[in-house]
Amino acid sequence: MAENRIDRIVIVGGGTAGWMSAAMLARALGPGVAIRLVESEAIGTVGVGEASIPQLRNFNAFLGLDEDAFLRATEGTIKLGIEFVDWLRPGHRYMHAFGPVGRPLGVTPFHHYWLDARRRGTAGEDFWAWSANALAARAGRFGRTPPHPAQPGGEPLTWAFHFDAALYARHLRAYAESRGVERIEGRVTGVDQHGETGFLRAVTLEGDRRVEGDLFIDCSGFRGLLIEEALKTGYEDWRKWLPMDSAWAVPSRDDAPPVPYTRAWARDAGWQWRIPLQHRTGNGHVFSSAWTDKDAAVRVLMDNLEGEALAEPRLLTFTTGRRKASWNRNVVALGLAAGFMEPLESTSIHLVQSGLARLLALFPDKGFDPVLTAEFNRQTADEYACIRDFLVLHYKATEREDTPFWADRRAMEIPQTLAERMALFAGPGRVFSRDEDLFKEGSWVQVLLGQGVTPAASHPMTAVVADDQVDGWLDDLSRIAARTAAALPSHAAFLDRAETRLAG
Ligand SMILES: Cc1cc2nc3c(=O)[nH]c(=O)nc-3n(C[C@H](O)[C@H](O)[C@H](O)COP(=O)(O)OP(=O)(O)OC[C@H]3O[C@@H](n4cnc5c(N)ncnc54)[C@H](O)[C@@H]3O)c2cc1C
């Protein structure tokens, strides 16, 4: 019924999450719904998020944003995967590349054939020789169109972006405002709640202003102004599995061409990222304050910078975990207000996107049917738990015991859900993604193998195909992957096109 339709949405917060919400809701709901966004320039944003995963392309496409214009506006570069250095043991490296590694034969996944051939001695040790993404990343190449006209259509690679999150928010703000979203500058100082139900009627701003709404989106960052401070929803703390609780971040100048992948070096009590943008390189050291102190941690960051620092390092602190319910009454929390897991696999901005998609799929009317809320919270909880397990895998499956931090990670008890997945792979080499799994089988296989979990056996169905046929097929596939990567232009040449450069 039209009179029961939600027609006023209030978004609190104008960081990446707030403007992603404003843009997507304006695009999806059209001009019939009044969307207002309240933010405070005096408070500012976290604005560190610089690495993404390929799903962001779908978000931009939904909005109708041109990809070159996006790269230009955000000083963006291409990301083909993440290279993990020193995670299994010092001196070791592997890549979690986006896109497929090899391809299945019939219903049997590729890695089983590779495991068999490797045991026979007919395939090399490098699993990533079958990933065009990994080969292109290592060679510093990127292109969008198939390099050979004779090759079947479609894009040769699977990619995401590195970008300046503050510039992205600005880009989305222009988009949202041009579609009628009203921005209100001011600090939220309180809420007006219904005395019995606790539903929010309005947020109140300094200067006795009031912004009324039917649905409130809390994008106010770590403190969760509405979801926590007003509604006391509670937080599930995951630091026993992921004890990283701090990060130093600093931009640096880089004269070398930007590589098309993120780098993550394991450090003595955490890890360090390096993310190349067009105008600067983002660096950060994520660490656990239980295992090192902040002065030592900033020295690790600064001692390992590859170029000159462009600013003073900034310290951010956080509690890994998630809000017990992201949707409570008529408040939906997104972004840091909903929870946070360290940026090892660049999942935070994606969680905003998937939360918005979920909200649209379960969009309520003014009755706020509790079954919608419950389903939203169930799916969100599952999605967070799957990502948590994927992150914990990077620490648990290691040979490292060379620092107290790594010895403790290796010995820690892990969630039962992850223990089951690791056992299923370590024995018979099987891996499955679950309902809300963001990372599909291909990602799990790469990180499991990369972190040294090698299955004891391969799938019995590989025996259906003769060994020499499998060997020939593996040869063909690796040649195609190598040819695909080699025929692409350099990443620098791709970025140097006028379409992706900011004027001047
Ligand atoms: C160290 C670190 C590294 C990260 N790296 C990545 C990465 O590589 N990839 C990735 O996807 N994500 C990453 N993230 C996460 C990413 O930065 C955030 O998920 C993303 O920026 C969304 O932040 P947000 O908009 O929720 O919060 P914020 O950026 O904190 O924005 C909060 C907004 O709320 C407003 N606000 C707060 N209180 C009030 C008030 N009282 N009144 C009015 N307005 C108010 C603020 O002004 C601001 O506009 C990283 C985070 C950290 C901490």
Side-chain angles (χ1 to χ4, degrees), residues 70-143:
F70 161 82
L71 286 166
R72 194 165 62 236
T74 63
E75 297 276 9
T77 64
I78 297 296
K79 174 179 171 187
L80 297 174
I82 307 172
E83 186 184 47
F84 292 95
V85 187
D86 301 337
W87 283 75
L88 175 58
R89 70 182 92 87
H92 180 269
R93 56 180 69 212
Y94 73 95
M95 188 166 280
H96 171 196
F98 301 136
V101 180
R103 66 170 91 117
L105 194 53
V107 293
T108 309
F110 173 81
H111 66 275
H112 293 284
Y113 293 99
W114 173 75
L115 285 168
D116 273 357
R118 200 180 64 150
R119 279 188 200 114
R120 287 197 297 274
T122 52
E125 289 289 312
D126 182 9
F127 182 62
W128 289 267
W130 284 268
S131 158
N133 257 56
L135 296 174
R138 287 181 200 155
R141 296 184 177 279
F142 178 73

Side-chain angles (χ1 to χ4, degrees), residues 123-310:
E125 289 289 312
D126 182 9
F127 182 62
W128 289 267
W130 284 268
S131 158
N133 257 56
L135 296 174
R138 287 181 200 155
R141 296 184 177 279
F142 178 73
R144 281 195 191 113
T145 46
H148 300 296
Q151 206 165 298
E155 281 146 348
L157 302 176
T158 306
W159 66 92
F161 315 101
H162 303 122
F163 58 93
D164 183 324
L167 294 179
Y168 187 41
R170 195 188 297 169
H171 193 53
L172 293 176
R173 173 178 166 185
Y175 176 98
E177 287 186 320
S178 73
R179 278 160 184 78
V181 172
E182 183 191 349
R183 176 185 179 280
I184 300 171
E185 170 63 33
R187 185 189 287 260
V188 173
T189 49
V191 297
D192 174 12
Q193 276 174 274
H194 189 282
E196 275 163 33
T197 64
F199 274 55
L200 264 60
R201 285 192 285 236
V203 292
T204 51
L205 275 53
E206 57 195 354
D208 279 342
R209 288 178 292 162
R210 201 181 139 77
V211 184
E212 292 184 354
D214 307 314
L215 171 66
F216 293 80
I217 313 290
D218 186 352
C219 297
S220 63
F222 287 126
R223 50 195 288 218
L225 206 62
L226 310 183
I227 196 82
E228 196 58 53
E229 290 187 10
L231 296 182
K232 311 273 181 278
T233 305
Y235 197 78
E236 223 174 84
D237 185 334
W238 287 341
R239 278 177 296 184
K240 69 177 166 185
W241 295 306
L242 293 167
M244 269 51 65
D245 56 5
S246 313
W248 283 105
V250 70
S252 65
R253 191 193 316 281
D254 201 344
D255 296 328
V259 297
Y261 56 96
T262 302
R263 271 177 285 182
W265 284 269
R267 299 287 183 222
D268 287 356
W271 61 277
Q272 181 166 342
W273 81 73
R274 183 172 165 78
I275 297 177
L277 307 185
Q278 291 189 35
H279 60 320
R280 61 171 168 79
T281 296
N283 308 271
H285 180 202
V286 179
F287 63 98
S288 166
S289 65
W291 299 95
T292 187
D293 66 65
K294 65 181 179 17
D295 298 332
V298 76
R299 276 199 302 279
V300 168
L301 175 66
M302 301 310 277
D303 287 351
N304 288 292
L305 279 194
E306 280 179 18
E308 176 200 345
L310 294 174

Side-chain angles (χ1 to χ4, degrees), residues 182-496:
E182 183 191 349
R183 176 185 179 280
I184 300 171
E185 170 63 33
R187 185 189 287 260
V188 173
T189 49
V191 297
D192 174 12
Q193 276 174 274
H194 189 282
E196 275 163 33
T197 64
F199 274 55
L200 264 60
R201 285 192 285 236
V203 292
T204 51
L205 275 53
E206 57 195 354
D208 279 342
R209 288 178 292 162
R210 201 181 139 77
V211 184
E212 292 184 354
D214 307 314
L215 171 66
F216 293 80
I217 313 290
D218 186 352
C219 297
S220 63
F222 287 126
R223 50 195 288 218
L225 206 62
L226 310 183
I227 196 82
E228 196 58 53
E229 290 187 10
L231 296 182
K232 311 273 181 278
T233 305
Y235 197 78
E236 223 174 84
D237 185 334
W238 287 341
R239 278 177 296 184
K240 69 177 166 185
W241 295 306
L242 293 167
M244 269 51 65
D245 56 5
S246 313
W248 283 105
V250 70
S252 65
R253 191 193 316 281
D254 201 344
D255 296 328
V259 297
Y261 56 96
T262 302
R263 271 177 285 182
W265 284 269
R267 299 287 183 222
D268 287 356
W271 61 277
Q272 181 166 342
W273 81 73
R274 183 172 165 78
I275 297 177
L277 307 185
Q278 291 189 35
H279 60 320
R280 61 171 168 79
T281 296
N283 308 271
H285 180 202
V286 179
F287 63 98
S288 166
S289 65
W291 299 95
T292 187
D293 66 65
K294 65 181 179 17
D295 298 332
V298 76
R299 276 199 302 279
V300 168
L301 175 66
M302 301 310 277
D303 287 351
N304 288 292
L305 279 194
E306 280 179 18
E308 176 200 345
L310 294 174
E312 286 301 310
R314 212 174 123 210
L315 181 66
L316 297 124
T317 55
F318 48 84
T319 304
T320 298
R322 67 167 181 87
R323 214 56 76 189
K324 284 185 176 154
S326 300
W327 183 344
N328 185 350
R329 299 181 174 86
N330 59 343
V331 172
V332 175
L334 294 170
L336 300 172
F340 184 64
M341 287 177 272
E342 57 180 273
L344 187 58
E345 287 280 356
S346 323
T347 42
S348 286
I349 289 173
H350 176 76
L351 284 167
V352 178
Q353 173 182 343
S354 61
L356 283 165
R358 192 170 289 135
L359 174 61
L360 289 174
L362 293 163
F363 204 74
D365 60 22
K366 285 179 189 160
F368 284 91
D369 188 334
V371 295
L372 295 171
T373 311
E375 181 60 16
F376 182 95
N377 287 330
R378 185 196 66 76
Q379 290 183 17
T380 306
D382 282 358
E383 185 178 33
Y384 270 76
C386 287
I387 293 173
R388 175 202 66 201
D389 286 2
F390 192 57
L391 296 181
V392 174
L393 171 65
H394 295 69
Y395 294 95
K396 174 69 182 174
T398 181
E399 292 170 6
R400 291 192 69 149
E401 288 189 310
D402 51 312
T403 69
F405 168 84
W406 282 103
D408 196 70
R409 304 277 54 72
R410 189 173 141 97
M412 75 177 150
E413 280 204 23
I414 55 176
Q416 182 61 22
T417 40
L418 175 60
E420 286 164 9
R421 289 208 211 226
M422 288 178 70
L424 195 59
F425 191 74
R430 311 302 156 85
V431 59
F432 300 92
S433 56
R434 302 184 177 176
D435 271 1
E436 305 302 334
D437 232 332
L438 168 58
F439 293 102
K440 304 299 176 208
E441 291 92 331
S443 292
W444 281 92
V445 169
Q446 289 184 64
V447 175
L448 282 157
L449 290 172
Q451 293 288 149
V453 184
T454 306
S458 57
H459 202 298
M461 276 171 65
T462 56
V464 173
V465 189
D467 289 352
D468 58 339
Q469 270 183 293
V470 170
D471 291 344
W473 174 72
L474 286 173
D475 271 356
D476 286 349
L477 282 186
S478 67
R479 261 201 304 275
I480 291 170
R483 217 175 47 208
T484 302
L488 294 166
S490 75
H491 181 223
F494 170 81
L495 292 175
D496 268 343

Side-chain angles (χ1 to χ4, degrees), residues 15-96:
T16 322
W19 285 112
M20 282 177 78
S21 304
M24 186 154 172
L25 293 174
R27 169 78 180 80
L29 301 173
V33 179
I35 301 174
R36 283 174 295 171
L37 183 147
V38 186
E39 69 172 319
S40 161
E41 266 168 25
I43 295 175
T45 64
V46 164
V48 182
E50 290 167 332
S52 58
I53 55 174
Q55 286 82 342
L56 189 67
R57 295 187 65 214
N58 302 336
F59 181 82
N60 286 344
F62 176 77
L63 298 183
L65 297 180
D66 174 74
E67 197 166 288
D68 281 338
F70 161 82
L71 286 166
R72 194 165 62 236
T74 63
E75 297 276 9
T77 64
I78 297 296
K79 174 179 171 187
L80 297 174
I82 307 172
E83 186 184 47
F84 292 95
V85 187
D86 301 337
W87 283 75
L88 175 58
R89 70 182 92 87
H92 180 269
R93 56 180 69 212
Y94 73 95
M95 188 166 280
H96 171 196

